[in-house]
Amino acid sequence: MNAAEPLLVVVDAANVVGSVPDGWWRDRRGAAERLRDRLAADGVPGVSGPVEIVLVVEGAARGVESVPGVRVSSAPGSGDDHIVEVVASAGDRAVLVVTADRELRDRVGALGAEVAGPRTVRP
């Protein structure tokens, strides 16, 4: 792992937002924006040191804008495939992927990423 670069935290927006039945399905874009804003304000609880946060959005949430502290990446197709691409392009950098999706956890784990569940960023 390359300690010279900040930890890359890749957040599966659809999975994290969908982990709490709070009506997110009525406004997927708004739910992704609220998650983005919480990440920008709070960072990643329990993670010390510098981090770079990438929030991957898909479907109706595409087009959510980046804000200082959170880069938003709109998946052109499958969000899971896009997350795998982001992880693969990180090279030897330390990566943490936030998702509960079992298949995605296996895919990014095979690339060397650490994985944590949605409660890591969403109480």
Side-chain angles (χ1 to χ4, degrees):
M1 297 293 151
N2 186 349
E5 295 184 75
L7 172 67
L8 177 61
V9 179
V10 183
V11 180
D12 181 351
N15 189 269
V16 171
V17 165
S19 69
V20 177
D22 61 1
W24 59 265
W25 51 90
R26 291 188 291 268
D27 182 10
R28 293 169 193 258
R29 183 183 179 106
E33 288 171 340
R34 287 187 297 279
L35 175 58
R36 175 205 60 198
D37 294 347
R38 185 179 316 108
L39 290 167
D42 300 340
V44 181
V47 175
S48 61
V51 298
E52 177 187 353
I53 300 172
V54 176
L55 180 67
V56 174
V57 297
E58 62 184 302
R62 281 190 194 101
V64 169
E65 298 292 325
S66 296
V67 297
V70 179
R71 178 169 53 95
V72 179
S73 183
S74 294
S78 160
D80 290 1
D81 290 345
H82 190 65
I83 290 168
V84 170
E85 291 171 11
V86 170
V87 172
S89 69
D92 64 349
R93 185 173 180 187
V95 179
L96 172 66
V97 175
V98 180
T99 186
D101 182 303
R102 288 182 190 207
E103 181 182 333
L104 179 58
R105 291 169 76 96
D106 290 343
R107 291 173 68 190
V108 297
L111 295 171
E114 295 293 322
V115 186
R119 289 187 181 176
T120 302
V121 297
R122 184 169 189 166

